[in-house]
Amino acid sequence: GGVIAAYRDTDTSTVRQESSILMGKTFYVVNGDLGLGGVNYTKPELERIIARHGGRKVQNYKPGVVDYVVAAHMDVKVRNLIKMNVDILNYDYVWESIDSGQ
């Protein structure tokens, strides 16, 4: 048994922080791309990028703790969060925040 690789926690302890653009923000990355062409980012890659820019990532949605829930595609977890009235951002939001510096 165990956790499906796509949902496993990512060790970001060795990621070197390059900026503080996402400092003070906590992200729950539900999923990443499935590798279907174009520029793709897996869940672990997204979590490392968030850490690189000072953000914190968690593995579960916790109201009052998580600032942003991001996902690359619709799946069962995303649908369940939507049913709970949780706003889901496309992971492009992470890039837009980094690019704009906020």
Side-chain angles (χ1 to χ4, degrees):
V3 180
I4 297 171
Y7 296 115
R8 269 190 208 127
D9 192 11
T10 304
D11 179 8
T12 57
S13 63
T14 60
V15 173
R16 188 174 58 84
Q17 187 176 327
E18 296 175 4
S19 82
S20 57
I21 291 168
L22 302 178
M23 186 71 71
K25 298 176 182 173
T26 299
F27 293 82
Y28 168 40
V29 179
V30 183
N31 58 46
D33 277 323
L34 302 173
L36 302 176
V39 177
N40 292 298
Y41 294 94
T42 64
K43 180 177 184 290
E45 288 170 327
L46 291 167
E47 291 175 336
R48 283 190 285 275
I49 290 164
I50 288 166
R52 192 174 306 134
H53 293 281
R56 183 172 165 259
K57 53 92 183 162
V58 294
Q59 293 306 306
N60 296 293
Y61 175 71
K62 297 176 189 119
V65 173
V66 173
D67 299 304
Y68 302 101
V69 178
V70 295
H73 61 274
M74 185 68 68
D75 67 7
V76 170
K77 284 188 169 197
V78 173
R79 282 189 190 89
N80 288 339
L81 288 164
I82 291 170
K83 286 179 188 170
M84 295 167 38
N85 290 319
V86 175
D87 290 329
I88 312 291
L89 300 170
N90 185 288
Y91 74 61
D92 288 341
Y93 172 82
V94 175
W95 309 131
E96 291 165 10
S97 291
I98 292 167
D99 290 344
S100 70
Q102 46 184 299

Coordinates of all heavy atoms in Angstrom, one line a residue:
G1 N 0.8 -1.2 0.0 CA 0.0 0.0 0.0 C 0.9 1.2 0.0 O 2.0 1.2 -0.3
G2 N 0.3 2.3 0.4 CA 1.0 3.6 0.5 C 0.3 4.6 -0.3 O -0.8 4.4 -0.9
V3 N 0.9 5.8 -0.4 CA 0.4 6.9 -1.1 C 0.8 6.9 -2.5 O 2.0 6.6 -2.8 CB 0.8 8.2 -0.4 CG1 0.3 9.4 -1.1 CG2 0.4 8.3 1.1
I4 N -0.1 7.1 -3.4 CA 0.2 7.2 -4.9 C 1.2 8.3 -5.1 O 1.2 9.3 -4.5 CB -1.1 7.5 -5.7 CG1 -2.1 6.4 -5.5 CG2 -0.8 7.8 -7.1 CD1 -3.5 6.7 -6.1
A5 N 2.2 8.0 -5.9 CA 3.3 8.9 -6.1 C 2.9 10.3 -6.4 O 3.5 11.3 -5.9 CB 4.2 8.4 -7.2
A6 N 1.8 10.5 -7.2 CA 1.4 11.8 -7.5 C 0.9 12.7 -6.3 O 0.9 13.9 -6.4 CB 0.3 11.8 -8.6
Y7 N 0.6 12.0 -5.2 CA 0.1 12.7 -4.0 C 1.1 12.7 -2.9 O 0.8 13.2 -1.8 CB -1.2 12.1 -3.6 CG -2.3 12.3 -4.6 CD1 -2.9 11.2 -5.2 CD2 -2.8 13.5 -4.9 CE1 -3.9 11.4 -6.2 CE2 -3.8 13.7 -5.9 CZ -4.3 12.6 -6.5 OH -5.3 12.8 -7.4
R8 N 2.3 12.1 -3.0 CA 3.3 12.1 -2.0 C 3.8 13.4 -1.6 O 3.9 14.3 -2.5 CB 4.4 11.2 -2.4 CG 4.2 9.7 -2.0 CD 5.5 8.9 -2.2 NE 5.0 7.6 -2.4 CZ 5.3 6.8 -3.4 NH1 6.2 7.2 -4.3 NH2 4.8 5.6 -3.6
D9 N 4.3 13.5 -0.4 CA 4.9 14.8 0.1 C 6.3 14.9 -0.7 O 6.9 14.0 -0.9 CB 5.1 14.7 1.6 CG 5.5 16.1 2.1 OD1 5.4 17.1 1.4 OD2 5.9 16.1 3.3
T10 N 6.6 16.2 -0.9 CA 7.9 16.5 -1.6 C 8.8 17.0 -0.6 O 8.5 18.0 0.2 CB 7.7 17.5 -2.7 OG1 6.7 17.0 -3.6 CG2 8.9 17.8 -3.4
D11 N 10.0 16.5 -0.5 CA 11.1 17.0 0.4 C 11.6 18.3 -0.2 O 12.3 18.2 -1.2 CB 12.2 16.0 0.6 CG 13.3 16.5 1.5 OD1 13.1 17.6 2.1 OD2 14.3 15.8 1.6
T12 N 11.3 19.4 0.4 CA 11.8 20.7 -0.1 C 12.9 21.2 0.9 O 13.3 22.4 0.7 CB 10.7 21.7 -0.2 OG1 10.0 21.8 1.1 CG2 9.7 21.3 -1.3
S13 N 13.4 20.4 1.8 CA 14.3 20.9 2.8 C 15.7 21.3 2.2 O 16.4 22.1 2.7 CB 14.6 19.8 3.9 OG 15.1 18.7 3.3
T14 N 16.0 20.8 1.0 CA 17.3 21.1 0.4 C 17.1 22.2 -0.7 O 18.1 22.6 -1.4 CB 17.9 19.9 -0.2 OG1 17.1 19.3 -1.2 CG2 18.3 18.9 0.8
V15 N 15.9 22.7 -0.9 CA 15.7 23.7 -1.9 C 16.2 25.0 -1.5 O 15.9 25.5 -0.3 CB 14.1 23.8 -2.2 CG1 13.9 25.0 -3.2 CG2 13.6 22.6 -2.8
R16 N 17.1 25.7 -2.3 CA 17.7 26.9 -1.9 C 16.7 28.1 -2.3 O 16.2 28.2 -3.4 CB 18.9 27.1 -2.7 CG 19.7 28.4 -2.3 CD 21.1 28.4 -3.0 NE 20.9 28.5 -4.5 CZ 20.7 29.6 -5.2 NH1 20.6 30.7 -4.6 NH2 20.6 29.5 -6.5
Q17 N 16.3 28.9 -1.3 CA 15.4 30.0 -1.5 C 16.1 31.1 -2.3 O 17.2 31.5 -1.9 CB 14.9 30.5 -0.1 CG 13.8 31.5 -0.3 CD 13.3 32.0 1.1 OE1 13.2 31.3 2.0 NE2 12.9 33.3 1.1
E18 N 15.4 31.5 -3.4 CA 15.9 32.5 -4.3 C 15.3 33.8 -4.1 O 15.8 34.9 -4.5 CB 15.8 32.0 -5.7 CG 16.7 30.8 -6.0 CD 16.4 30.2 -7.4 OE1 15.7 30.9 -8.2 OE2 17.0 29.2 -7.7
S19 N 14.0 33.8 -3.6 CA 13.3 35.1 -3.4 C 12.3 34.9 -2.3 O 12.1 33.8 -1.8 CB 12.6 35.5 -4.7 OG 11.3 34.8 -4.8
S20 N 11.7 36.0 -1.9 CA 10.7 35.9 -0.8 C 9.3 36.4 -1.3 O 8.5 36.8 -0.6 CB 11.1 36.8 0.4 OG 11.3 38.1 0.0
I21 N 9.2 36.2 -2.6 CA 7.9 36.7 -3.3 C 6.7 36.0 -2.7 O 5.6 36.6 -2.5 CB 8.0 36.4 -4.8 CG1 9.0 37.3 -5.4 CG2 6.6 36.6 -5.4 CD1 9.3 37.0 -6.9
L22 N 6.8 34.7 -2.3 CA 5.7 33.9 -1.8 C 5.8 33.8 -0.3 O 5.0 33.0 0.3 CB 5.6 32.5 -2.5 CG 5.5 32.6 -4.0 CD1 5.5 31.1 -4.6 CD2 4.2 33.3 -4.5
M23 N 6.7 34.5 0.4 CA 6.8 34.4 1.8 C 5.5 34.7 2.5 O 4.8 35.6 2.2 CB 7.9 35.4 2.3 CG 8.3 35.3 3.7 SD 9.2 33.8 4.1 CE 10.8 34.1 3.4
G24 N 5.2 33.9 3.5 CA 4.0 34.1 4.3 C 2.8 33.5 3.7 O 1.7 33.6 4.2
K25 N 2.9 32.9 2.5 CA 1.8 32.3 1.8 C 1.9 30.8 1.9 O 3.0 30.2 1.7 CB 1.7 32.7 0.4 CG 1.5 34.2 0.2 CD 1.5 34.7 -1.2 CE 1.4 36.2 -1.3 NZ 1.6 36.7 -2.6
T26 N 0.8 30.1 2.2 CA 0.8 28.7 2.3 C -0.1 28.1 1.2 O -1.2 28.5 1.0 CB 0.2 28.2 3.7 OG1 1.0 28.7 4.7 CG2 0.1 26.7 3.8
F27 N 0.5 27.1 0.5 CA -0.1 26.5 -0.7 C -0.4 25.1 -0.5 O 0.4 24.3 0.1 CB 0.8 26.6 -1.9 CG 1.0 28.0 -2.4 CD1 2.0 28.8 -1.8 CD2 0.3 28.5 -3.5 CE1 2.2 30.1 -2.2 CE2 0.6 29.8 -3.9 CZ 1.5 30.6 -3.3
Y28 N -1.6 24.6 -1.0 CA -1.9 23.2 -1.1 C -1.9 22.9 -2.6 O -2.8 23.4 -3.3 CB -3.2 22.9 -0.4 CG -3.7 21.5 -0.8 CD1 -2.9 20.4 -0.9 CD2 -5.1 21.3 -1.0 CE1 -3.4 19.1 -1.2 CE2 -5.6 20.0 -1.3 CZ -4.7 19.0 -1.4 OH -5.2 17.7 -1.7
V29 N -0.9 22.2 -3.1 CA -0.9 21.8 -4.5 C -1.6 20.5 -4.6 O -1.1 19.5 -4.2 CB 0.6 21.7 -5.0 CG1 0.6 21.3 -6.5 CG2 1.3 23.0 -4.9
V30 N -2.8 20.5 -5.3 CA -3.6 19.3 -5.4 C -2.9 18.3 -6.4 O -2.8 17.2 -6.1 CB -5.0 19.6 -5.8 CG1 -5.9 18.3 -5.9 CG2 -5.7 20.7 -4.9
N31 N -2.6 18.9 -7.5 CA -2.0 18.0 -8.6 C -1.2 18.9 -9.5 O -1.2 20.1 -9.5 CB -3.1 17.2 -9.3 CG -4.1 18.2 -10.0 OD1 -3.8 19.1 -10.6 ND2 -5.4 17.9 -9.8
G32 N -0.4 18.2 -10.3 CA 0.4 18.8 -11.4 C -0.1 18.3 -12.7 O -1.1 17.6 -12.8
D33 N 0.7 18.6 -13.7 CA 0.4 18.2 -15.1 C 0.6 16.7 -15.2 O 1.4 16.1 -14.5 CB 1.3 18.9 -16.1 CG 0.7 20.2 -16.5 OD1 -0.5 20.4 -16.5 OD2 1.5 21.2 -16.7
L34 N 0.0 16.1 -16.2 CA 0.0 14.7 -16.4 C 1.1 14.3 -17.5 O 1.2 13.2 -17.9 CB -1.3 14.1 -16.9 CG -2.5 14.4 -15.9 CD1 -3.8 14.0 -16.5 CD2 -2.3 13.6 -14.6
G35 N 1.9 15.3 -17.9 CA 2.9 15.1 -18.9 C 2.3 14.9 -20.3 O 2.8 14.0 -21.0
L36 N 1.4 15.7 -20.7 CA 0.7 15.5 -22.0 C 1.2 16.4 -23.1 O 0.4 16.7 -24.0 CB -0.8 15.6 -21.8 CG -1.5 14.6 -20.8 CD1 -2.9 14.9 -20.6 CD2 -1.3 13.2 -21.2
G37 N 2.4 16.9 -22.9 CA 2.9 17.8 -24.0 C 3.0 19.2 -23.5 O 2.4 19.6 -22.5
G38 N 3.8 20.0 -24.2 CA 3.9 21.4 -23.8 C 4.8 21.5 -22.6 O 5.5 20.6 -22.3
V39 N 4.7 22.6 -21.9 CA 5.5 22.8 -20.7 C 4.6 22.2 -19.5 O 3.5 22.7 -19.3 CB 5.7 24.3 -20.4 CG1 6.4 24.5 -19.1 CG2 6.5 24.9 -21.5
N40 N 5.2 21.2 -18.9 CA 4.5 20.5 -17.8 C 5.2 20.6 -16.5 O 6.4 20.6 -16.5 CB 4.3 19.0 -18.2 CG 3.4 18.9 -19.4 OD1 2.2 19.2 -19.3 ND2 3.9 18.3 -20.5
Y41 N 4.5 20.7 -15.4 CA 5.1 20.7 -14.1 C 4.3 19.7 -13.3 O 3.1 19.8 -13.1 CB 5.0 22.1 -13.5 CG 5.8 23.1 -14.2 CD1 5.2 23.9 -15.2 CD2 7.1 23.3 -13.9 CE1 6.0 24.8 -15.9 CE2 7.9 24.2 -14.6 CZ 7.3 25.0 -15.6 OH 8.1 25.8 -16.3
T42 N 5.1 18.8 -12.7 CA 4.5 17.8 -11.8 C 4.2 18.5 -10.4 O 4.7 19.6 -10.1 CB 5.4 16.6 -11.6 OG1 6.6 17.1 -10.9 CG2 5.8 16.0 -12.9
K43 N 3.5 17.8 -9.6 CA 3.2 18.3 -8.2 C 4.5 18.6 -7.5 O 4.7 19.7 -6.9 CB 2.3 17.4 -7.5 CG 1.9 17.8 -6.1 CD 1.0 16.7 -5.5 CE 0.5 17.1 -4.1 NZ 1.5 17.0 -3.0
P44 N 5.5 17.6 -7.5 CA 6.7 17.9 -6.8 C 7.5 19.1 -7.3 O 8.1 19.9 -6.5 CB 7.5 16.6 -7.0 CG 6.5 15.6 -7.2 CD 5.4 16.3 -7.9
E45 N 7.5 19.3 -8.6 CA 8.1 20.4 -9.2 C 7.5 21.7 -8.8 O 8.2 22.7 -8.4 CB 8.1 20.4 -10.7 CG 9.0 19.3 -11.3 CD 8.8 19.0 -12.8 OE1 7.7 19.2 -13.3 OE2 9.9 18.7 -13.4
L46 N 6.2 21.8 -8.7 CA 5.4 23.0 -8.3 C 5.8 23.3 -6.8 O 6.0 24.4 -6.5 CB 3.9 22.8 -8.5 CG 3.5 22.7 -9.9 CD1 2.0 22.2 -10.0 CD2 3.6 24.1 -10.6
E47 N 5.8 22.2 -6.0 CA 6.1 22.4 -4.6 C 7.5 23.0 -4.4 O 7.8 23.8 -3.5 CB 5.9 21.2 -3.8 CG 4.4 20.8 -3.7 CD 4.0 19.5 -3.1 OE1 4.9 18.6 -3.1 OE2 2.9 19.4 -2.6
R48 N 8.5 22.5 -5.2 CA 9.8 23.0 -5.1 C 9.9 24.4 -5.5 O 10.7 25.2 -4.9 CB 10.8 22.1 -5.9 CG 11.1 20.8 -5.2 CD 12.3 20.0 -5.9 NE 11.9 19.4 -7.1 CZ 11.3 18.2 -7.1 NH1 11.1 17.5 -6.0 NH2 11.0 17.6 -8.3
I49 N 9.2 24.8 -6.6 CA 9.2 26.2 -7.0 C 8.6 27.1 -6.0 O 9.1 28.2 -5.7 CB 8.4 26.3 -8.4 CG1 9.2 25.6 -9.5 CG2 8.1 27.8 -8.7 CD1 8.5 25.3 -10.7
I50 N 7.5 26.7 -5.3 CA 6.9 27.5 -4.2 C 7.9 27.7 -3.1 O 8.1 28.8 -2.7 CB 5.6 26.8 -3.7 CG1 4.5 26.9 -4.8 CG2 5.2 27.4 -2.4 CD1 3.3 26.0 -4.6
A51 N 8.6 26.6 -2.7 CA 9.7 26.7 -1.7 C 10.8 27.6 -2.1 O 11.3 28.4 -1.3 CB 10.2 25.3 -1.3
R52 N 11.2 27.5 -3.4 CA 12.3 28.4 -3.9 C 12.0 29.8 -3.8 O 12.9 30.7 -3.6 CB 12.6 28.0 -5.4 CG 13.8 28.6 -5.9 CD 14.1 28.1 -7.3 NE 14.1 26.6 -7.4 CZ 13.5 25.9 -8.3 NH1 12.9 26.5 -9.3 NH2 13.6 24.6 -8.3
H53 N 10.7 30.2 -3.8 CA 10.3 31.6 -3.7 C 9.7 31.9 -2.3 O 9.0 32.9 -2.2 CB 9.4 31.9 -4.8 CG 10.1 31.9 -6.2 ND1 10.9 32.9 -6.6 CD2 10.1 30.9 -7.1 CE1 11.4 32.6 -7.8 NE2 11.0 31.3 -8.1
G54 N 10.0 31.1 -1.3 CA 9.7 31.5 0.1 C 8.3 31.0 0.6 O 8.0 31.2 1.7
G55 N 7.6 30.4 -0.3 CA 6.2 29.9 0.1 C 6.3 28.6 0.9 O 7.3 27.9 0.9
R56 N 5.2 28.3 1.6 CA 5.1 27.0 2.3 C 4.1 26.1 1.6 O 3.1 26.6 1.1 CB 4.7 27.4 3.7 CG 4.6 26.2 4.7 CD 4.4 26.8 6.1 NE 3.9 25.7 7.0 CZ 2.7 25.4 7.3 NH1 1.7 26.3 6.9 NH2 2.4 24.4 8.0
K57 N 4.4 24.8 1.6 CA 3.4 23.9 1.1 C 2.9 22.9 2.1 O 3.7 22.5 3.0 CB 4.0 23.2 -0.2 CG 5.3 22.5 0.0 CD 5.1 21.1 0.4 CE 6.5 20.4 0.7 NZ 6.4 19.2 1.4
V58 N 1.7 22.5 2.0 CA 1.1 21.5 2.9 C 0.5 20.4 2.0 O 0.2 20.7 0.8 CB 0.1 22.1 3.9 CG1 0.7 23.1 4.8 CG2 -1.1 22.8 3.1
Q59 N 0.2 19.3 2.6 CA -0.3 18.1 1.8 C -1.8 18.0 1.9 O -2.4 17.1 1.2 CB 0.4 16.9 2.3 CG 1.9 16.8 1.9 CD 2.1 17.1 0.5 OE1 1.6 16.4 -0.4 NE2 2.9 18.1 0.1
N60 N -2.5 18.8 2.8 CA -3.9 18.7 2.9 C -4.5 20.0 3.0 O -3.9 20.9 3.6 CB -4.3 17.8 4.1 CG -3.8 16.4 4.0 OD1 -4.3 15.7 3.1 ND2 -2.8 16.0 4.8
Y61 N -5.7 20.2 2.6 CA -6.4 21.5 2.7 C -6.9 21.6 4.2 O -7.5 20.8 4.7 CB -7.6 21.6 1.8 CG -8.4 22.8 2.0 CD1 -7.9 24.0 1.6 CD2 -9.6 22.8 2.6 CE1 -8.5 25.2 1.8 CE2 -10.3 24.0 2.9 CZ -9.7 25.2 2.5 OH -10.4 26.4 2.7
K62 N -6.5 22.8 4.8 CA -6.9 23.1 6.1 C -7.4 24.5 6.1 O -6.7 25.5 5.9 CB -5.8 23.0 7.1 CG -5.2 21.6 7.2 CD -4.0 21.6 8.1 CE -3.3 20.2 8.0 NZ -2.0 20.2 7.5
P63 N -8.8 24.7 6.3 CA -9.3 26.1 6.3 C -8.6 26.9 7.4 O -8.3 26.4 8.5 CB -10.8 25.9 6.7 CG -11.1 24.4 6.4 CD -9.8 23.7 6.6
G64 N -8.3 28.1 7.1 CA -7.6 29.0 8.0 C -6.1 28.8 8.0 O -5.4 29.6 8.6
V65 N -5.6 27.8 7.4 CA -4.1 27.6 7.3 C -3.7 27.8 5.8 O -2.7 28.4 5.6 CB -3.8 26.1 7.7 CG1 -2.3 25.8 7.5 CG2 -4.1 25.9 9.2
V66 N -4.4 27.2 4.9 CA -4.0 27.3 3.5 C -4.5 28.6 2.9 O -5.7 28.9 3.0 CB -4.6 26.1 2.7 CG1 -4.4 26.2 1.2 CG2 -4.0 24.8 3.2
D67 N -3.6 29.3 2.3 CA -4.0 30.6 1.6 C -4.5 30.3 0.2 O -5.4 31.0 -0.3 CB -2.8 31.6 1.6 CG -2.3 31.9 3.0 OD1 -3.2 32.4 3.7 OD2 -1.2 31.7 3.3
Y68 N -3.8 29.4 -0.5 CA -4.1 29.2 -1.9 C -4.1 27.7 -2.2 O -3.2 26.9 -1.8 CB -3.0 29.8 -2.8 CG -2.9 31.3 -2.6 CD1 -1.9 31.8 -1.9 CD2 -3.9 32.2 -3.1 CE1 -1.8 33.2 -1.6 CE2 -3.8 33.5 -2.9 CZ -2.8 34.0 -2.2 OH -2.7 35.4 -1.9
V69 N -5.1 27.2 -2.9 CA -5.2 25.9 -3.4 C -5.0 25.9 -4.9 O -5.7 26.7 -5.6 CB -6.6 25.2 -3.1 CG1 -6.6 23.8 -3.7 CG2 -6.8 25.2 -1.6
V70 N -4.0 25.2 -5.4 CA -3.7 25.3 -6.8 C -3.7 23.9 -7.4 O -3.4 22.9 -6.8 CB -2.3 25.9 -7.1 CG1 -2.3 27.4 -6.7 CG2 -1.2 25.2 -6.4
A71 N -4.1 23.8 -8.7 CA -4.2 22.5 -9.4 C -4.0 22.8 -10.9 O -4.2 23.8 -11.4 CB -5.6 21.9 -9.2
A72 N -3.5 21.7 -11.5 CA -3.3 21.8 -13.0 C -4.5 21.2 -13.7 O -4.8 21.6 -14.9 CB -2.1 20.9 -13.3
H73 N -5.2 20.3 -13.1 CA -6.4 19.7 -13.8 C -7.4 19.2 -12.8 O -7.2 19.1 -11.6 CB -5.9 18.5 -14.7 CG -5.3 17.4 -13.9 ND1 -4.0 17.4 -13.6 CD2 -5.8 16.3 -13.4 CE1 -3.7 16.3 -12.9 NE2 -4.8 15.6 -12.7
M74 N -8.6 19.0 -13.4 CA -9.7 18.5 -12.6 C -9.6 17.1 -12.2 O -9.2 16.3 -13.1 CB -11.0 18.7 -13.4 CG -12.3 18.4 -12.6 SD -12.6 19.5 -11.3 CE -13.0 21.0 -12.1
D75 N -9.7 16.7 -11.0 CA -9.7 15.3 -10.6 C -10.7 15.2 -9.4 O -11.3 16.2 -9.0 CB -8.3 14.8 -10.2 CG -7.6 15.4 -9.0 OD1 -8.3 16.2 -8.3 OD2 -6.5 15.1 -8.8
V76 N -10.7 14.0 -8.8 CA -11.7 13.8 -7.7 C -11.4 14.8 -6.5 O -12.3 15.3 -5.9 CB -11.6 12.3 -7.2 CG1 -12.4 12.1 -5.9 CG2 -12.1 11.4 -8.3
K77 N -10.1 14.9 -6.1 CA -9.8 15.8 -5.0 C -10.3 17.3 -5.3 O -10.8 17.9 -4.4 CB -8.3 15.8 -4.8 CG -7.8 14.6 -4.0 CD -6.4 14.8 -3.6 CE -6.0 13.7 -2.7 NZ -4.7 14.0 -2.0
V78 N -10.0 17.7 -6.5 CA -10.4 19.1 -6.9 C -12.0 19.2 -6.8 O -12.5 20.2 -6.3 CB -9.9 19.5 -8.3 CG1 -10.5 20.8 -8.7 CG2 -8.4 19.5 -8.3
R79 N -12.7 18.2 -7.4 CA -14.1 18.3 -7.3 C -14.6 18.3 -5.9 O -15.6 19.0 -5.6 CB -14.7 17.0 -8.1 CG -14.7 17.2 -9.5 CD -15.5 16.0 -10.2 NE -15.3 16.0 -11.6 CZ -14.3 15.4 -12.2 NH1 -13.5 14.6 -11.6 NH2 -14.1 15.5 -13.5
N80 N -14.0 17.5 -5.0 CA -14.5 17.5 -3.6 C -14.2 18.9 -2.9 O -15.0 19.3 -2.1 CB -13.8 16.4 -2.8 CG -14.3 15.0 -3.2 OD1 -15.4 14.9 -3.7 ND2 -13.5 14.0 -3.0
L81 N -13.1 19.5 -3.2 CA -12.8 20.8 -2.7 C -13.8 21.8 -3.2 O -14.3 22.7 -2.4 CB -11.4 21.2 -3.0 CG -10.3 20.5 -2.2 CD1 -8.9 20.7 -2.9 CD2 -10.3 20.9 -0.8
I82 N -14.2 21.8 -4.5 CA -15.1 22.7 -5.1 C -16.5 22.5 -4.4 O -17.2 23.5 -4.0 CB -15.3 22.5 -6.6 CG1 -14.0 23.0 -7.3 CG2 -16.5 23.2 -7.1 CD1 -13.9 22.6 -8.7
K83 N -16.9 21.3 -4.1 CA -18.1 21.0 -3.4 C -18.1 21.6 -2.0 O -19.2 21.9 -1.4 CB -18.4 19.5 -3.2 CG -18.8 18.8 -4.5 CD -19.0 17.3 -4.3 CE -19.2 16.6 -5.6 NZ -19.2 15.2 -5.5
M84 N -16.9 21.8 -1.4 CA -16.8 22.4 -0.1 C -16.6 23.9 -0.2 O -16.3 24.6 0.8 CB -15.5 21.9 0.6 CG -15.6 20.4 1.0 SD -14.0 19.6 1.5 CE -13.2 20.9 2.4
N85 N -16.9 24.5 -1.4 CA -16.8 25.9 -1.7 C -15.4 26.5 -1.5 O -15.2 27.6 -1.1 CB -17.8 26.7 -0.9 CG -19.2 26.5 -1.3 OD1 -19.5 26.4 -2.5 ND2 -20.1 26.3 -0.3
V86 N -14.4 25.7 -1.8 CA -13.0 26.1 -1.8 C -12.6 26.6 -3.2 O -12.9 26.0 -4.2 CB -12.1 24.9 -1.4 CG1 -10.6 25.4 -1.5 CG2 -12.4 24.4 0.0
D87 N -12.0 27.8 -3.2 CA -11.6 28.3 -4.5 C -10.3 27.6 -5.0 O -9.4 27.5 -4.2 CB -11.3 29.8 -4.4 CG -12.6 30.7 -4.2 OD1 -13.7 30.2 -4.7 OD2 -12.5 31.7 -3.5
I88 N -10.3 27.2 -6.2 CA -9.2 26.5 -6.8 C -8.6 27.4 -7.8 O -9.3 27.8 -8.7 CB -9.6 25.1 -7.4 CG1 -10.5 24.3 -6.5 CG2 -8.3 24.4 -7.9 CD1 -9.8 23.8 -5.3
L89 N -7.3 27.6 -7.7 CA -6.6 28.4 -8.7 C -5.8 27.5 -9.7 O -5.2 26.5 -9.2 CB -5.6 29.4 -8.1 CG -6.2 30.4 -7.1 CD1 -5.0 31.0 -6.3 CD2 -7.0 31.4 -7.8
N90 N -5.8 27.9 -11.0 CA -4.9 27.1 -11.9 C -3.5 27.5 -11.5 O -3.2 28.6 -11.0 CB -5.2 27.6 -13.3 CG -4.4 26.8 -14.3 OD1 -3.1 27.0 -14.4 ND2 -5.0 26.0 -15.0
Y91 N -2.6 26.5 -11.6 CA -1.2 26.7 -11.1 C -0.5 27.9 -11.8 O 0.5 28.3 -11.4 CB -0.4 25.5 -11.1 CG 0.1 24.9 -12.4 CD1 0.9 25.7 -13.2 CD2 -0.3 23.7 -12.8 CE1 1.4 25.2 -14.4 CE2 0.2 23.1 -14.0 CZ 1.0 23.9 -14.8 OH 1.4 23.4 -16.0
D92 N -1.1 28.4 -12.9 CA -0.5 29.5 -13.6 C -0.4 30.7 -12.6 O 0.4 31.6 -12.8 CB -1.3 30.0 -14.8 CG -1.2 29.0 -16.0 OD1 -0.2 28.2 -16.0 OD2 -2.1 29.0 -16.8
Y93 N -1.3 30.7 -11.6 CA -1.3 31.8 -10.6 C 0.1 31.9 -9.9 O 0.5 33.0 -9.6 CB -2.4 31.5 -9.6 CG -2.3 32.5 -8.4 CD1 -2.8 33.8 -8.5 CD2 -1.6 32.2 -7.2 CE1 -2.7 34.7 -7.5 CE2 -1.5 33.1 -6.2 CZ -2.1 34.3 -6.3 OH -1.9 35.2 -5.3
V94 N 0.7 30.7 -9.7 CA 2.0 30.7 -9.0 C 3.0 31.5 -9.9 O 3.8 32.4 -9.4 CB 2.5 29.3 -8.8 CG1 3.9 29.3 -8.2 CG2 1.6 28.6 -7.8
W95 N 3.0 31.2 -11.2 CA 3.9 31.9 -12.2 C 3.6 33.4 -12.2 O 4.5 34.2 -12.2 CB 3.8 31.3 -13.6 CG 4.0 29.9 -13.6 CD1 3.2 29.0 -14.3 CD2 5.0 29.1 -13.0 NE1 3.6 27.7 -14.1 CE2 4.7 27.7 -13.3 CE3 6.0 29.3 -12.2 CZ2 5.5 26.7 -12.9 CZ3 6.8 28.3 -11.7 CH2 6.5 27.0 -12.1
E96 N 2.3 33.7 -12.3 CA 1.9 35.1 -12.3 C 2.4 35.9 -11.1 O 2.9 37.0 -11.2 CB 0.4 35.3 -12.5 CG 0.0 34.8 -13.9 CD -1.5 34.6 -14.0 OE1 -2.3 35.0 -13.1 OE2 -1.9 34.0 -15.0
S97 N 2.3 35.3 -9.9 CA 2.8 35.9 -8.7 C 4.3 36.1 -8.7 O 4.8 37.2 -8.3 CB 2.4 35.0 -7.5 OG 1.0 35.0 -7.3
I98 N 5.0 35.1 -9.2 CA 6.5 35.2 -9.2 C 6.9 36.2 -10.2 O 7.7 37.1 -9.9 CB 7.1 33.8 -9.5 CG1 6.9 32.8 -8.4 CG2 8.6 33.9 -9.9 CD1 7.2 31.4 -8.7
D99 N 6.3 36.2 -11.4 CA 6.6 37.2 -12.5 C 6.3 38.6 -12.1 O 7.0 39.5 -12.4 CB 5.9 36.8 -13.8 CG 6.4 35.5 -14.4 OD1 7.5 35.1 -14.0 OD2 5.7 35.0 -15.3
S100 N 5.2 38.8 -11.3 CA 4.8 40.2 -11.0 C 5.5 40.6 -9.7 O 5.4 41.8 -9.3 CB 3.3 40.3 -10.8 OG 2.9 39.5 -9.7
G101 N 6.1 39.7 -9.0 CA 6.8 40.0 -7.7 C 5.9 40.1 -6.5 O 6.2 40.8 -5.5
Q102 N 4.7 39.5 -6.6 CA 3.8 39.6 -5.5 C 2.9 38.4 -5.3 O 2.5 37.8 -6.2 CB 2.9 40.8 -5.5 CG 2.3 41.1 -6.9 CD 1.5 42.4 -6.9 OE1 0.6 42.5 -6.1 NE2 1.9 43.3 -7.7

